[in-house]
Amino acid sequence: MGAMLDAPRAARDIVRASTRLRSVALVPEIRLYQASEPISVWQRTETATGRTGLDPPFWAFAWAGGQALARYLLDHPETVRGRPVIDMASGSGLVAIAAARAGAAAVTAYDIDPLAVAAIALNAAANDVTVLAVGADILADEVAGTEVLLVADAFYERALAGRVTRFIERGQARGADVLVGDLGRAYLPRDRLSPLATYDVPGLAAVEDADVKRTTIWAPIPATAGHRPGLGGRAGRPA
Ligand SMILES: C[S@@+](CC[C@H](N)C(=O)[O-])C[C@H]1O[C@@H](n2cnc3c(N)ncnc32)[C@H](O)[C@@H]1O
């Protein structure tokens, strides 16, 4: 993305100008800078940067997977309380903010989009929590010290989904707990996951094919259940 968006202040200005701070439908305790529809945000960003072909403004919406996972963390704070947490493909930062609210020891949110990094910082401040927003692709890396790995709505493209799946597997092998929020996107590795909870997430008409989407919290199937090795972690047990 353009150098302009790498300037944090310019990115923050775009986020603020394209959105309004309002409560998240399924998680009204959290407020985010949210847009009402994606196209005008996209156009505004292209005009501001003088560039075309930018990523969709994922950061301007609370996706179904993120809303469900944020709700789950607030309803099950013991999942993250006192533990180091990573929110991968964080977008607006919703899941990271919920983890911080639930008492996580330290929360790091990763996204490759500089506008998402700006949005995460603004949204964390608006909710009075500390989240470290990092603009980096760490899917090929090992992340040492993370106890809980959170992933919401990151299985929408085949290549990305494959990389996220391998990242999750490596985290599991190291002993991290993994929780996934997903409505059942095309590339979700369902055969490797078991459902923990389900939510009907409302208010999604601007970005989905229906206003309400049934969305599930998933955990990797424990290796002891006789499935693939390397996918057994503590999150595989009901929270
Ligand atoms: C559909 S959004 C989900 C955002 C948020 N988790 C939620 O549920 O509201 C997917 C996000 O993944 C990010 N993303 C895509 N590839 C990534 C990568 N390799 N590393 C980190 N984030 C990535 C996108 O920039 C986008 O913000």
Side-chain angles (χ1 to χ4, degrees):
M1 203 172 277
M4 179 182 176
L5 291 181
D6 293 330
R9 186 168 169 190
R12 282 198 302 271
D13 287 348
I14 290 175
V15 171
R16 279 204 207 89
S18 313
T19 58
R20 203 160 55 79
L21 188 60
R22 56 192 170 86
S23 295
V24 175
L26 191 70
V27 197
E29 307 93 316
I30 293 177
R31 295 196 306 157
L32 297 177
Y33 287 92
Q34 297 174 80
S36 49
E37 52 79 33
I39 302 302
S40 62
V41 184
W42 219 334
Q43 286 169 342
R44 181 188 293 269
T45 309
E46 292 194 344
T47 303
T49 59
R51 293 193 50 149
T52 57
L54 299 176
D55 290 334
F58 291 118
W59 51 269
F61 299 90
W63 295 83
Q67 293 200 43
L69 187 49
R71 182 73 270 150
Y72 184 85
L73 296 177
L74 293 177
D75 292 348
H76 302 271
E78 68 281 1
T79 311
V80 292
R81 190 182 291 132
R83 308 176 70 191
V85 169
I86 279 183
D87 176 26
M88 171 53 58
S90 190
S92 66
L94 171 58
V95 171
I97 291 165
R101 275 277 180 89
V107 183
T108 309
Y110 289 94
D111 202 290
I112 51 169
D113 184 342
L115 286 172
V117 175
I120 294 163
L122 284 170
N123 286 326
N127 289 278
D128 212 14
V129 295
T130 301
V131 170
L132 178 62
V134 181
D137 183 344
I138 58 155
L139 286 176
D141 300 342
E142 303 293 336
V143 184
T146 300
E147 290 191 16
V148 187
L149 193 49
L150 304 170
V151 181
D153 223 325
F155 293 95
Y156 54 94
E157 284 175 359
R158 186 191 298 273
L160 176 61
R163 296 184 68 216
V164 172
T165 301
R166 291 190 289 280
F167 183 75
I168 285 172
E169 288 177 351
R170 291 197 304 277
Q172 282 281 302
R174 281 194 343 269
D177 285 353
V178 177
L179 290 171
V180 172
D182 200 286
L183 54 68
R185 299 266 186 227
Y187 305 111
L188 180 75
R190 280 170 182 271
D191 57 329
R192 306 177 184 199
L193 301 169
S194 77
L196 292 184
T198 300
Y199 299 90
D200 285 327
V201 181
L204 296 169
V207 290
E208 302 290 355
D209 58 2
D211 191 57
V212 179
K213 296 293 273 187
R214 181 147 293 191
T215 305
T216 299
I217 308 304
W218 307 87
I221 292 170
T224 50
H227 293 267
R228 296 179 76 254
L231 284 172
R234 280 175 291 162
R237 298 201 302 267

